[in-house]
């Protein structure tokens, strides 16, 4: 405990004069999360439909999609970042790729479970009246799942903001890379200012996200 106190003491007072210099990396981190969440939200739609048992009645496709999604969820985002940094080098791009794959595993599972819980009676009525599969999905399924879909996308965006900071530690760019450098150089007051800034940004984004979810559901 004595050593812990001495280490924590080194972080104070925070050096807030570094804040102007970290704005670009901070915006990079937010951009990483926005781009990755947007791309994952788009790719998730067909994957969620294929992994929903009440929509995909062809068993081999359903089982194959579920298996792929289960595999994606077993790989930690940090490991994904290490792999992509090794392939593409240090920067934002491997971080975005890691977040896309990480987000797909979460979003597709949650949205497919949402699809499986919808009321199938409107879809069956549309089928009986001669509607095609795409018409059933567009007019009968999407209106039922859209509020939950939007809420889950916002939830994953919050997760990606936090995850993108951690990914910077393995060279995936953004504010995490700067934080790692400052701690590596023993610039603890600078590191503390960065940590406080990240905390404020996460709180603001979480507040906005919660308000949007309340408005949608």
């Amino acid at each position: 405990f004595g050593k812990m106190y001495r280490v924590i003491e080194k972080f104070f007072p925070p050096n807030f004069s570094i804040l102007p210099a970290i704005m670009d990396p901070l915006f990079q981190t937010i951009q990483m999360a926005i781009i990755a969440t947007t791309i994952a939200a788009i790719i998730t739609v067909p994957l969620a439909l294929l992994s929903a048992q009440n929509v995909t009645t062809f068993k081999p496709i359903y089982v194959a999609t579920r298996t792929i999604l289960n595999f994606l969820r077993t790989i930690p985002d940090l490991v994904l970042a290490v792999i992509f940094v090794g392939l593409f080098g240090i920067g934002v791009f491997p971080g975005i790729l890691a977040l896309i794959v990480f987000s797909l595993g979460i979003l597709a599972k949650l949205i497919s479970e949402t699809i499986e819980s919808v009321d199938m009676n409107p879809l069956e009525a549309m089928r009986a009246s001669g509607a095609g599969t795409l018409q059933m999905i567009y007019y009968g399924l999407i209106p039922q799942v859209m509020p939950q879909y939007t809420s889950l996308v916002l939830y994953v965006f919050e997760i990606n903001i936090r995850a993108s900071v951690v990914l910077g530690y393995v060279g995936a760019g953004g504010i995490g890379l700067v934080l790692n450098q400052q701690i590596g150089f023993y610039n603890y007051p600078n590191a503390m200012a960065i940590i406080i800034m990240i905390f404020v940004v996460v709180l603001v984004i979480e507040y906005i996200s919660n308000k949007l979810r309340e408005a949608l559901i």
Side-chain angles (χ1 to χ4, degrees):
F1 285 103
K3 290 181 181 178
M4 184 187 301
Y5 175 77
R6 285 196 296 273
V7 170
I8 293 174
E9 193 178 27
K10 293 177 182 178
F11 284 85
F12 292 93
N15 180 22
F16 290 110
S17 63
I18 195 178
L19 293 185
I22 66 169
M23 284 299 136
D24 283 345
L26 184 61
F27 288 136
Q28 277 186 358
T29 296
I30 297 172
Q31 288 169 354
M32 282 169 58
I34 292 172
I35 294 169
T37 306
T38 303
I39 295 173
I42 295 169
I43 301 174
T44 288
V45 175
L47 289 176
L49 291 170
L50 290 173
S51 59
Q53 201 164 10
N54 57 342
V55 175
T56 305
T57 53
F58 188 57
K59 205 73 172 176
I61 294 179
Y62 167 77
V63 172
T65 310
R66 279 280 183 175
T67 303
I68 292 169
L69 293 177
N70 288 334
F71 175 72
L72 292 180
R73 282 198 306 278
T74 59
I75 307 175
D77 53 345
L78 204 58
V79 174
L80 289 169
V82 170
I83 293 170
F84 287 125
V85 166
L87 289 172
F88 301 105
I90 292 174
V92 175
F93 183 65
I96 291 173
L97 291 178
L99 288 176
I100 289 172
V101 176
F102 172 70
S103 302
L104 277 177
I106 301 173
L107 269 178
K109 175 179 171 55
L110 294 176
I111 294 170
S112 66
E113 290 176 352
T114 301
I115 293 172
E116 288 177 343
S117 65
V118 301
D119 182 8
M120 293 298 292
N121 290 328
L123 280 77
E124 294 299 331
M126 291 176 66
R127 189 195 303 274
S129 63
T133 302
L134 291 178
Q135 289 174 315
M136 290 166 54
I137 291 172
Y138 187 79
Y139 293 105
L141 185 63
I142 290 178
Q144 295 189 64
V145 301
M146 185 54 73
Q148 290 83 358
Y149 170 82
T150 309
S151 175
L152 290 171
V153 168
L154 290 170
Y155 170 68
V156 169
F157 173 63
E158 289 178 30
I159 294 175
N160 283 342
I161 287 289
R162 297 173 177 87
S164 58
V165 175
V166 178
L167 297 188
Y169 265 74
V170 294
I175 195 68
L177 184 61
V178 179
L179 179 60
N180 187 30
Q181 289 172 347
Q182 294 302 316
I183 292 177
F185 295 148
Y186 302 105
N187 292 329
Y188 295 124
N190 290 358
M192 192 66 211
I194 294 171
I195 291 169
I196 292 171
M197 192 64 191
I198 293 168
F199 177 69
V200 171
V201 168
V202 168
L203 282 183
V204 171
I205 289 173
E206 187 172 359
Y207 175 79
I208 295 171
S209 180
N210 286 337
K211 289 298 179 183
L212 287 173
R213 280 204 296 270
E214 288 172 8
L216 291 167
I217 297 179

